[in-house]
Amino acid sequence: MTLTRIEPNTSQSFNLTSTHILWSSQLVLFSIIGLFYLFEWEINGELIFIIAILMIIPFGTLIYSHSEFFPNKHSAIGVVILGDKSIKLTEGLFEYNYLNDLKFDISDYKGEKIRFPSRVYSAGPSLSQGINNYIEFQYNSQIYKIQFQIHTKLELENLGIIIKSLYKNNILFKETFKGSKSYGLRHLNYKEIQEFKKENIC
């Protein structure tokens, strides 16, 4: 399977999020209220309208945040081609049997909801860009750490199938999914682990 290889892009411009809108609006709101009492402004229709809008904004940002992506501060720099016997990178073709300390550290896919804001002042991005995924290995005393993007849930499932095939091919490696030990990108209980090993590990 082919995955998009990425790296951090520090030159990207500022990304405005619902969090910025929320707290900026509230700063303006409290500033207006403070100035109102300090200078004893007269209440008028325009002032009431502005205050009402500023008070509504937190509810709008909360609703919007449920469909908002985290900013993507990474750029595509190539592809990672994973097979059941090798990894192909720009640097070359690496057969699993010749790799040391092979690790798959998988966290998310693009569009996955990884945050669940529920309070008015908890607005902020909720959907992942699918960029928190890594393959790490050592080859000829050189350490490679490859970051890549997973675009869909189906792509994540296909990656799990590839990883599962490595067990059947007796490849030595470690895998974690969302920070904890997994088997074919699945978290299993003790009984399921024994069944998995029986089916996939010779």
Side-chain angles (χ1 to χ4, degrees):
M1 70 176 300
T2 302
L3 300 163
T4 303
R5 185 176 178 178
I6 58 175
E7 68 176 7
N9 185 349
T10 56
S11 64
Q12 286 190 355
S13 59
F14 172 76
N15 296 103
L16 183 67
T17 69
S18 58
T19 304
H20 299 117
I21 296 172
L22 168 65
W23 294 112
S24 295
S25 68
Q26 297 314 287
L27 178 61
V28 173
L29 173 61
F30 288 115
S31 296
I32 290 175
I33 293 174
L35 292 172
F36 172 79
Y37 283 104
L38 181 63
F39 294 103
E40 298 181 350
W41 289 344
E42 291 185 5
I43 298 177
N44 56 56
E46 290 183 357
L47 184 61
I48 292 175
F49 177 76
I50 292 172
I51 291 175
I53 292 297
L54 293 172
M55 292 179 68
I56 292 172
I57 285 177
F59 296 95
T61 54
L62 176 61
I63 294 171
Y64 173 71
S65 65
H66 284 275
S67 59
E68 181 183 11
F69 280 88
F70 280 88
N72 185 358
K73 297 181 179 181
H74 292 72
S75 298
I77 59 170
V79 296
V80 181
I81 301 177
L82 291 179
D84 55 358
K85 294 182 180 180
S86 64
I87 302 174
K88 187 176 182 180
L89 307 172
T90 305
E91 294 86 338
L93 185 67
F94 301 88
E95 294 185 15
Y96 295 122
N97 287 326
Y98 297 99
L99 305 182
N100 295 317
D101 299 323
L102 176 61
K103 300 173 186 175
F104 292 86
D105 182 11
I106 311 302
S107 295
D108 49 20
Y109 62 88
K110 187 174 182 179
E112 180 180 7
K113 195 163 189 176
I114 57 176
R115 187 172 172 273
F116 299 85
S118 58
R119 298 180 181 179
V120 173
Y121 289 101
S122 64
S126 302
L127 304 181
S128 172
Q129 290 283 356
I131 57 178
N132 302 301
N133 307 293
Y134 301 87
I135 299 172
E136 186 174 351
F137 60 86
Q138 184 175 338
Y139 179 77
N140 284 345
S141 300
Q142 183 175 349
I143 296 175
Y144 294 81
K145 187 170 185 178
I146 312 301
Q147 186 177 7
F148 60 94
Q149 185 176 28
I150 298 178
H151 293 277
T152 63
K153 186 176 182 180
L154 178 60
E155 198 170 89
L156 175 69
E157 293 171 351
N158 289 336
L159 177 58
I161 294 172
I162 290 289
I163 292 176
K164 189 176 179 180
S165 72
L166 302 187
Y167 289 101
K168 294 183 177 181
N169 292 335
N170 296 317
I171 304 300
L172 297 177
F173 70 99
K174 295 179 180 178
E175 63 161 302
T176 58
F177 181 52
K178 299 188 181 299
S180 58
K181 174 66 177 175
S182 59
Y183 297 84
L185 300 184
R186 295 173 58 208
H187 294 140
L188 307 178
N189 59 38
Y190 178 79
K191 183 179 179 181
E192 290 171 333
I193 291 173
Q194 302 313 306
E195 293 176 354
F196 181 90
K197 289 181 176 179
K198 186 177 179 180
E199 293 175 2
N200 299 283
I201 302 176
C202 300

